[in-house]
Amino acid sequence: MATESRKPPEGPPAVELKNVRKVFDSETVALDGVSLAVREGEFFSLLGPSGCGKTTLLRILGGFEVPDAGEVRIAGQDMKDVPPFHRPVNTVFQNYALFPHMNVFDNVAFGLRMKRLPEAQVRRRVEAMLELVQIADLARRRPHELSGGQKQRVALARALVNEPKVLLLDEPLGALDLKLRKELQIELMRLQMELKITFVYVTHDQEEALVMSDRMAVMRDGRIEQIGLPEELYERPRTPFVARFLGTSNLIEGRALEPHAIETPLGPLRVVAELTPGRDYLLSIRPEKLRLSRAPSGGPNEVRARVRDIVYTGAENQYILSAGELELIAYTLNADISEPGYEEYDYGEEVFVRLPPENLVVVGG
């Protein structure tokens, strides 16, 4: 996730899309007026469910699809009529697309040899790239002799050795097991920061996008729902879809009573946001923001609820709560039982739930 040590770069855009539209079969709208700008040296993720248009957008950037309308610019150059092999981009696919009859070295060298570079220069660049992605000892192996993670490193090396302005990555970790995915997430971040190449990364994995991105865009039905820093989208979603898709969220409907109070099925709740009295709103609050206790705390927005179900995940307990007509989900860390304040709740137990006003976010209305 973007932090003080990993801030989004400031500079000219490496990728620009303006009102890009793509329709398949005269009726299936894959992209519906998408506009965005990705900065030079940025790790930018496109996140969304299957069919939202993120892979179509990536294919348009790579030149594998032609938009029906709109403008695409890469490194300041209009990409209209520019074929894939003349674009300053390379693509890493989920299926790796390695040549089975070539060893690792020759797979990585393929693009450089197609450019007819001197063999000495090819060897120097390939060896340096294999060292960078930590597979130099695999140079003579063929793809069928490699693990999934090793194949992915070969695919990355083959794309990066050509020194593209922009690297396009289409769910490159999707076929790997969870442990290996997490390891390669760190490797990708290291490579991107070291090489300072712009990454445009497509994924449907919310955690992957939150961990790796400088900025990210959540897509739905061919449109962008929200763009911003990972923590911005998670903490302050602007739509119900972003709130639900990017993690888990409790959604609460209500009607504003006054600028900072809203009547809901849980009773009146205080909020920090400025509301218009008489207008209907939809609020969102993340499960880890709820505060549970056996006794009332006297704080604002406290309601009674009953524990209906408990899901143990190791690091935390997830409580499914019945609060009148509403179901709420609350997460509590499994702290050491000897620590002060540690509480574990039982099935059927009545608890007090506090919804801090600063954590109630308006996502609709």
PDB file of all heavy atoms in Angstrom, residues 163-190:
ATOM      1  N   GLU A 163      13.107  -2.943 -21.950  1.00  0.00           N
ATOM      2  CA  GLU A 163      13.064  -1.582 -21.401  1.00  0.00           C
ATOM      3  C   GLU A 163      11.864  -0.783 -21.922  1.00  0.00           C
ATOM      4  O   GLU A 163      12.005   0.304 -22.481  1.00  0.00           O
ATOM      5  CB  GLU A 163      14.370  -0.845 -21.710  1.00  0.00           C
ATOM      6  CG  GLU A 163      15.584  -1.532 -21.109  1.00  0.00           C
ATOM      7  CD  GLU A 163      16.895  -0.851 -21.459  1.00  0.00           C
ATOM      8  OE1 GLU A 163      16.893   0.035 -22.346  1.00  0.00           O
ATOM      9  OE2 GLU A 163      17.929  -1.193 -20.855  1.00  0.00           O
ATOM     10  N   PRO A 164      10.658  -1.314 -21.709  1.00  0.00           N
ATOM     11  CA  PRO A 164       9.474  -0.586 -22.169  1.00  0.00           C
ATOM     12  C   PRO A 164       9.214   0.653 -21.320  1.00  0.00           C
ATOM     13  O   PRO A 164       9.636   0.723 -20.161  1.00  0.00           O
ATOM     14  CB  PRO A 164       8.351  -1.613 -21.975  1.00  0.00           C
ATOM     15  CG  PRO A 164       8.826  -2.443 -20.830  1.00  0.00           C
ATOM     16  CD  PRO A 164      10.320  -2.554 -20.999  1.00  0.00           C
ATOM     17  N   LYS A 165       8.525   1.616 -21.888  1.00  0.00           N
ATOM     18  CA  LYS A 165       8.094   2.783 -21.122  1.00  0.00           C
ATOM     19  C   LYS A 165       7.019   2.370 -20.115  1.00  0.00           C
ATOM     20  O   LYS A 165       6.930   2.918 -19.017  1.00  0.00           O
ATOM     21  CB  LYS A 165       7.523   3.860 -22.057  1.00  0.00           C
ATOM     22  CG  LYS A 165       8.525   4.472 -23.008  1.00  0.00           C
ATOM     23  CD  LYS A 165       9.444   5.433 -22.293  1.00  0.00           C
ATOM     24  CE  LYS A 165      10.340   6.159 -23.288  1.00  0.00           C
ATOM     25  NZ  LYS A 165      11.297   7.056 -22.602  1.00  0.00           N
ATOM     26  N   VAL A 166       6.181   1.414 -20.542  1.00  0.00           N
ATOM     27  CA  VAL A 166       5.067   0.956 -19.710  1.00  0.00           C
ATOM     28  C   VAL A 166       5.021  -0.567 -19.765  1.00  0.00           C
ATOM     29  O   VAL A 166       5.103  -1.156 -20.838  1.00  0.00           O
ATOM     30  CB  VAL A 166       3.720   1.537 -20.200  1.00  0.00           C
ATOM     31  CG1 VAL A 166       2.564   1.030 -19.334  1.00  0.00           C
ATOM     32  CG2 VAL A 166       3.753   3.060 -20.208  1.00  0.00           C
ATOM     33  N   LEU A 167       4.876  -1.186 -18.588  1.00  0.00           N
ATOM     34  CA  LEU A 167       4.694  -2.633 -18.523  1.00  0.00           C
ATOM     35  C   LEU A 167       3.241  -2.916 -18.171  1.00  0.00           C
ATOM     36  O   LEU A 167       2.724  -2.423 -17.155  1.00  0.00           O
ATOM     37  CB  LEU A 167       5.624  -3.259 -17.477  1.00  0.00           C
ATOM     38  CG  LEU A 167       5.589  -4.789 -17.427  1.00  0.00           C
ATOM     39  CD1 LEU A 167       6.127  -5.386 -18.723  1.00  0.00           C
ATOM     40  CD2 LEU A 167       6.399  -5.308 -16.241  1.00  0.00           C
ATOM     41  N   LEU A 168       2.577  -3.704 -19.006  1.00  0.00           N
ATOM     42  CA  LEU A 168       1.188  -4.081 -18.795  1.00  0.00           C
ATOM     43  C   LEU A 168       1.161  -5.493 -18.213  1.00  0.00           C
ATOM     44  O   LEU A 168       1.758  -6.415 -18.773  1.00  0.00           O
ATOM     45  CB  LEU A 168       0.419  -4.049 -20.114  1.00  0.00           C
ATOM     46  CG  LEU A 168       0.549  -2.763 -20.941  1.00  0.00           C
ATOM     47  CD1 LEU A 168      -0.168  -2.909 -22.277  1.00  0.00           C
ATOM     48  CD2 LEU A 168       0.003  -1.560 -20.172  1.00  0.00           C
ATOM     49  N   LEU A 169       0.443  -5.669 -17.107  1.00  0.00           N
ATOM     50  CA  LEU A 169       0.408  -6.969 -16.430  1.00  0.00           C
ATOM     51  C   LEU A 169      -1.039  -7.407 -16.257  1.00  0.00           C
ATOM     52  O   LEU A 169      -1.812  -6.758 -15.550  1.00  0.00           O
ATOM     53  CB  LEU A 169       1.106  -6.892 -15.069  1.00  0.00           C
ATOM     54  CG  LEU A 169       2.575  -6.435 -15.116  1.00  0.00           C
ATOM     55  CD1 LEU A 169       2.704  -4.996 -14.603  1.00  0.00           C
ATOM     56  CD2 LEU A 169       3.463  -7.352 -14.301  1.00  0.00           C
ATOM     57  N   ASP A 170      -1.401  -8.503 -16.917  1.00  0.00           N
ATOM     58  CA  ASP A 170      -2.781  -8.986 -16.915  1.00  0.00           C
ATOM     59  C   ASP A 170      -2.913 -10.167 -15.951  1.00  0.00           C
ATOM     60  O   ASP A 170      -2.676 -11.312 -16.314  1.00  0.00           O
ATOM     61  CB  ASP A 170      -3.191  -9.408 -18.328  1.00  0.00           C
ATOM     62  CG  ASP A 170      -4.684  -9.715 -18.426  1.00  0.00           C
ATOM     63  OD1 ASP A 170      -5.406  -9.477 -17.434  1.00  0.00           O
ATOM     64  OD2 ASP A 170      -5.121 -10.198 -19.482  1.00  0.00           O
ATOM     65  N   GLU A 171      -3.283  -9.867 -14.708  1.00  0.00           N
ATOM     66  CA  GLU A 171      -3.436 -10.876 -13.651  1.00  0.00           C
ATOM     67  C   GLU A 171      -2.271 -11.866 -13.652  1.00  0.00           C
ATOM     68  O   GLU A 171      -2.476 -13.082 -13.709  1.00  0.00           O
ATOM     69  CB  GLU A 171      -4.779 -11.608 -13.807  1.00  0.00           C
ATOM     70  CG  GLU A 171      -5.945 -10.650 -13.849  1.00  0.00           C
ATOM     71  CD  GLU A 171      -7.243 -11.241 -13.317  1.00  0.00           C
ATOM     72  OE1 GLU A 171      -7.197 -11.939 -12.301  1.00  0.00           O
ATOM     73  OE2 GLU A 171      -8.280 -10.997 -13.928  1.00  0.00           O
ATOM     74  N   PRO A 172      -1.027 -11.381 -13.568  1.00  0.00           N
ATOM     75  CA  PRO A 172       0.132 -12.259 -13.743  1.00  0.00           C
ATOM     76  C   PRO A 172       0.327 -13.266 -12.615  1.00  0.00           C
ATOM     77  O   PRO A 172       1.027 -14.254 -12.797  1.00  0.00           O
ATOM     78  CB  PRO A 172       1.303 -11.270 -13.794  1.00  0.00           C
ATOM     79  CG  PRO A 172       0.839 -10.106 -12.993  1.00  0.00           C
ATOM     80  CD  PRO A 172      -0.629  -9.991 -13.293  1.00  0.00           C
ATOM     81  N   LEU A 173      -0.303 -13.035 -11.457  1.00  0.00           N
ATOM     82  CA  LEU A 173      -0.112 -13.942 -10.323  1.00  0.00           C
ATOM     83  C   LEU A 173      -1.332 -14.823 -10.079  1.00  0.00           C
ATOM     84  O   LEU A 173      -1.367 -15.603  -9.120  1.00  0.00           O
ATOM     85  CB  LEU A 173       0.197 -13.144  -9.045  1.00  0.00           C
ATOM     86  CG  LEU A 173       1.326 -12.113  -9.142  1.00  0.00           C
ATOM     87  CD1 LEU A 173       1.555 -11.456  -7.793  1.00  0.00           C
ATOM     88  CD2 LEU A 173       2.604 -12.747  -9.657  1.00  0.00           C
ATOM     89  N   GLY A 174      -2.311 -14.726 -10.968  1.00  0.00           N
ATOM     90  CA  GLY A 174      -3.591 -15.404 -10.735  1.00  0.00           C
ATOM     91  C   GLY A 174      -3.506 -16.913 -10.676  1.00  0.00           C
ATOM     92  O   GLY A 174      -4.315 -17.561 -10.010  1.00  0.00           O
ATOM     93  N   ALA A 175      -2.534 -17.517 -11.358  1.00  0.00           N
ATOM     94  CA  ALA A 175      -2.457 -18.977 -11.410  1.00  0.00           C
ATOM     95  C   ALA A 175      -1.588 -19.565 -10.307  1.00  0.00           C
ATOM     96  O   ALA A 175      -1.407 -20.782 -10.241  1.00  0.00           O
ATOM     97  CB  ALA A 175      -1.913 -19.416 -12.772  1.00  0.00           C
ATOM     98  N   LEU A 176      -1.049 -18.718  -9.427  1.00  0.00           N
ATOM     99  CA  LEU A 176      -0.121 -19.188  -8.403  1.00  0.00           C
ATOM    100  C   LEU A 176      -0.835 -19.406  -7.076  1.00  0.00           C
ATOM    101  O   LEU A 176      -1.893 -18.830  -6.814  1.00  0.00           O
ATOM    102  CB  LEU A 176       1.002 -18.170  -8.224  1.00  0.00           C
ATOM    103  CG  LEU A 176       1.774 -17.785  -9.505  1.00  0.00           C
ATOM    104  CD1 LEU A 176       2.800 -16.717  -9.192  1.00  0.00           C
ATOM    105  CD2 LEU A 176       2.432 -19.011 -10.131  1.00  0.00           C
ATOM    106  N   ASP A 177      -0.236 -20.240  -6.214  1.00  0.00           N
ATOM    107  CA  ASP A 177      -0.835 -20.459  -4.901  1.00  0.00           C
ATOM    108  C   ASP A 177      -0.615 -19.227  -4.025  1.00  0.00           C
ATOM    109  O   ASP A 177       0.205 -18.357  -4.320  1.00  0.00           O
ATOM    110  CB  ASP A 177      -0.253 -21.703  -4.230  1.00  0.00           C
ATOM    111  CG  ASP A 177       1.248 -21.583  -3.951  1.00  0.00           C
ATOM    112  OD1 ASP A 177       1.623 -20.767  -3.089  1.00  0.00           O
ATOM    113  OD2 ASP A 177       2.024 -22.300  -4.600  1.00  0.00           O
ATOM    114  N   LEU A 178      -1.371 -19.166  -2.921  1.00  0.00           N
ATOM    115  CA  LEU A 178      -1.428 -17.947  -2.100  1.00  0.00           C
ATOM    116  C   LEU A 178      -0.054 -17.538  -1.580  1.00  0.00           C
ATOM    117  O   LEU A 178       0.318 -16.366  -1.665  1.00  0.00           O
ATOM    118  CB  LEU A 178      -2.394 -18.167  -0.925  1.00  0.00           C
ATOM    119  CG  LEU A 178      -2.551 -16.988   0.041  1.00  0.00           C
ATOM    120  CD1 LEU A 178      -3.089 -15.765  -0.691  1.00  0.00           C
ATOM    121  CD2 LEU A 178      -3.469 -17.367   1.202  1.00  0.00           C
ATOM    122  N   LYS A 179       0.715 -18.470  -1.041  1.00  0.00           N
ATOM    123  CA  LYS A 179       2.023 -18.137  -0.469  1.00  0.00           C
ATOM    124  C   LYS A 179       2.953 -17.566  -1.531  1.00  0.00           C
ATOM    125  O   LYS A 179       3.624 -16.554  -1.316  1.00  0.00           O
ATOM    126  CB  LYS A 179       2.635 -19.377   0.179  1.00  0.00           C
ATOM    127  CG  LYS A 179       3.949 -19.116   0.901  1.00  0.00           C
ATOM    128  CD  LYS A 179       4.423 -20.376   1.622  1.00  0.00           C
ATOM    129  CE  LYS A 179       5.692 -20.117   2.430  1.00  0.00           C
ATOM    130  NZ  LYS A 179       6.843 -19.735   1.613  1.00  0.00           N
ATOM    131  N   LEU A 180       2.983 -18.202  -2.708  1.00  0.00           N
ATOM    132  CA  LEU A 180       3.852 -17.734  -3.782  1.00  0.00           C
ATOM    133  C   LEU A 180       3.383 -16.384  -4.316  1.00  0.00           C
ATOM    134  O   LEU A 180       4.198 -15.519  -4.652  1.00  0.00           O
ATOM    135  CB  LEU A 180       3.885 -18.776  -4.908  1.00  0.00           C
ATOM    136  CG  LEU A 180       4.899 -18.539  -6.035  1.00  0.00           C
ATOM    137  CD1 LEU A 180       6.300 -18.346  -5.486  1.00  0.00           C
ATOM    138  CD2 LEU A 180       4.853 -19.701  -7.018  1.00  0.00           C
ATOM    139  N   ARG A 181       2.063 -16.175  -4.386  1.00  0.00           N
ATOM    140  CA  ARG A 181       1.543 -14.875  -4.829  1.00  0.00           C
ATOM    141  C   ARG A 181       2.050 -13.764  -3.929  1.00  0.00           C
ATOM    142  O   ARG A 181       2.467 -12.712  -4.395  1.00  0.00           O
ATOM    143  CB  ARG A 181       0.007 -14.877  -4.811  1.00  0.00           C
ATOM    144  CG  ARG A 181      -0.624 -15.483  -6.031  1.00  0.00           C
ATOM    145  CD  ARG A 181      -1.985 -14.902  -6.348  1.00  0.00           C
ATOM    146  NE  ARG A 181      -2.876 -14.799  -5.215  1.00  0.00           N
ATOM    147  CZ  ARG A 181      -3.702 -15.756  -4.809  1.00  0.00           C
ATOM    148  NH1 ARG A 181      -3.708 -16.916  -5.428  1.00  0.00           N
ATOM    149  NH2 ARG A 181      -4.499 -15.569  -3.796  1.00  0.00           N
ATOM    150  N   LYS A 182       1.992 -13.994  -2.621  1.00  0.00           N
ATOM    151  CA  LYS A 182       2.430 -12.956  -1.681  1.00  0.00           C
ATOM    152  C   LYS A 182       3.926 -12.676  -1.830  1.00  0.00           C
ATOM    153  O   LYS A 182       4.362 -11.523  -1.749  1.00  0.00           O
ATOM    154  CB  LYS A 182       2.080 -13.374  -0.249  1.00  0.00           C
ATOM    155  CG  LYS A 182       0.579 -13.333   0.042  1.00  0.00           C
ATOM    156  CD  LYS A 182       0.287 -13.688   1.477  1.00  0.00           C
ATOM    157  CE  LYS A 182      -1.203 -13.588   1.773  1.00  0.00           C
ATOM    158  NZ  LYS A 182      -1.725 -12.206   1.649  1.00  0.00           N
ATOM    159  N   GLU A 183       4.712 -13.725  -2.057  1.00  0.00           N
ATOM    160  CA  GLU A 183       6.149 -13.530  -2.254  1.00  0.00           C
ATOM    161  C   GLU A 183       6.431 -12.720  -3.515  1.00  0.00           C
ATOM    162  O   GLU A 183       7.261 -11.797  -3.519  1.00  0.00           O
ATOM    163  CB  GLU A 183       6.845 -14.885  -2.336  1.00  0.00           C
ATOM    164  CG  GLU A 183       6.881 -15.650  -1.011  1.00  0.00           C
ATOM    165  CD  GLU A 183       7.471 -17.041  -1.172  1.00  0.00           C
ATOM    166  OE1 GLU A 183       7.849 -17.400  -2.313  1.00  0.00           O
ATOM    167  OE2 GLU A 183       7.552 -17.768  -0.164  1.00  0.00           O
ATOM    168  N   LEU A 184       5.722 -13.057  -4.600  1.00  0.00           N
ATOM    169  CA  LEU A 184       5.963 -12.360  -5.858  1.00  0.00           C
ATOM    170  C   LEU A 184       5.397 -10.941  -5.855  1.00  0.00           C
ATOM    171  O   LEU A 184       5.867 -10.085  -6.609  1.00  0.00           O
ATOM    172  CB  LEU A 184       5.404 -13.163  -7.024  1.00  0.00           C
ATOM    173  CG  LEU A 184       6.252 -14.378  -7.424  1.00  0.00           C
ATOM    174  CD1 LEU A 184       5.615 -15.123  -8.588  1.00  0.00           C
ATOM    175  CD2 LEU A 184       7.662 -13.957  -7.811  1.00  0.00           C
ATOM    176  N   GLN A 185       4.393 -10.682  -5.031  1.00  0.00           N
ATOM    177  CA  GLN A 185       3.928  -9.304  -4.882  1.00  0.00           C
ATOM    178  C   GLN A 185       5.076  -8.408  -4.422  1.00  0.00           C
ATOM    179  O   GLN A 185       5.285  -7.317  -4.953  1.00  0.00           O
ATOM    180  CB  GLN A 185       2.783  -9.240  -3.863  1.00  0.00           C
ATOM    181  CG  GLN A 185       1.453  -9.771  -4.358  1.00  0.00           C
ATOM    182  CD  GLN A 185       0.419  -9.834  -3.253  1.00  0.00           C
ATOM    183  OE1 GLN A 185       0.589  -9.259  -2.180  1.00  0.00           O
ATOM    184  NE2 GLN A 185      -0.654 -10.560  -3.493  1.00  0.00           N
ATOM    185  N   ILE A 186       5.814  -8.861  -3.421  1.00  0.00           N
ATOM    186  CA  ILE A 186       6.944  -8.091  -2.912  1.00  0.00           C
ATOM    187  C   ILE A 186       8.018  -7.946  -3.989  1.00  0.00           C
ATOM    188  O   ILE A 186       8.620  -6.880  -4.152  1.00  0.00           O
ATOM    189  CB  ILE A 186       7.531  -8.770  -1.654  1.00  0.00           C
ATOM    190  CG1 ILE A 186       6.448  -8.956  -0.584  1.00  0.00           C
ATOM    191  CG2 ILE A 186       8.691  -7.950  -1.110  1.00  0.00           C
ATOM    192  CD1 ILE A 186       5.781  -7.677  -0.151  1.00  0.00           C
ATOM    193  N   GLU A 187       8.261  -9.024  -4.748  1.00  0.00           N
ATOM    194  CA  GLU A 187       9.265  -8.972  -5.814  1.00  0.00           C
ATOM    195  C   GLU A 187       8.870  -7.966  -6.895  1.00  0.00           C
ATOM    196  O   GLU A 187       9.706  -7.205  -7.394  1.00  0.00           O
ATOM    197  CB  GLU A 187       9.438 -10.362  -6.434  1.00  0.00           C
ATOM    198  CG  GLU A 187      10.288 -11.310  -5.619  1.00  0.00           C
ATOM    199  CD  GLU A 187      11.708 -10.805  -5.463  1.00  0.00           C
ATOM    200  OE1 GLU A 187      12.381 -10.564  -6.487  1.00  0.00           O
ATOM    201  OE2 GLU A 187      12.142 -10.622  -4.313  1.00  0.00           O
ATOM    202  N   LEU A 188       7.601  -7.964  -7.273  1.00  0.00           N
ATOM    203  CA  LEU A 188       7.133  -7.022  -8.296  1.00  0.00           C
ATOM    204  C   LEU A 188       7.297  -5.585  -7.820  1.00  0.00           C
ATOM    205  O   LEU A 188       7.714  -4.710  -8.588  1.00  0.00           O
ATOM    206  CB  LEU A 188       5.671  -7.305  -8.637  1.00  0.00           C
ATOM    207  CG  LEU A 188       5.395  -8.401  -9.659  1.00  0.00           C
ATOM    208  CD1 LEU A 188       3.902  -8.660  -9.773  1.00  0.00           C
ATOM    209  CD2 LEU A 188       5.966  -8.026 -11.021  1.00  0.00           C
ATOM    210  N   MET A 189       6.960  -5.330  -6.574  1.00  0.00           N
ATOM    211  CA  MET A 189       7.123  -3.984  -6.034  1.00  0.00           C
ATOM    212  C   MET A 189       8.589  -3.577  -6.037  1.00  0.00           C
ATOM    213  O   MET A 189       8.936  -2.447  -6.387  1.00  0.00           O
ATOM    214  CB  MET A 189       6.549  -3.928  -4.616  1.00  0.00           C
ATOM    215  CG  MET A 189       5.040  -4.078  -4.544  1.00  0.00           C
ATOM    216  SD  MET A 189       4.450  -4.348  -2.857  1.00  0.00           S
ATOM    217  CE  MET A 189       4.912  -2.824  -2.071  1.00  0.00           C
ATOM    218  N   ARG A 190       9.466  -4.502  -5.644  1.00  0.00           N
ATOM    219  CA  ARG A 190      10.908  -4.208  -5.644  1.00  0.00           C
ATOM    220  C   ARG A 190      11.399  -3.888  -7.046  1.00  0.00           C
ATOM    221  O   ARG A 190      12.131  -2.905  -7.262  1.00  0.00           O
ATOM    222  CB  ARG A 190      11.669  -5.412  -5.081  1.00  0.00           C
ATOM    223  CG  ARG A 190      13.187  -5.237  -5.084  1.00  0.00           C
ATOM    224  CD  ARG A 190      13.900  -6.501  -4.652  1.00  0.00           C
ATOM    225  NE  ARG A 190      13.721  -7.599  -5.594  1.00  0.00           N
ATOM    226  CZ  ARG A 190      14.436  -7.758  -6.708  1.00  0.00           C
ATOM    227  NH1 ARG A 190      15.361  -6.868  -7.053  1.00  0.00           N
ATOM    228  NH2 ARG A 190      14.228  -8.798  -7.496  1.00  0.00           N
TER     229      ARG A 190
END
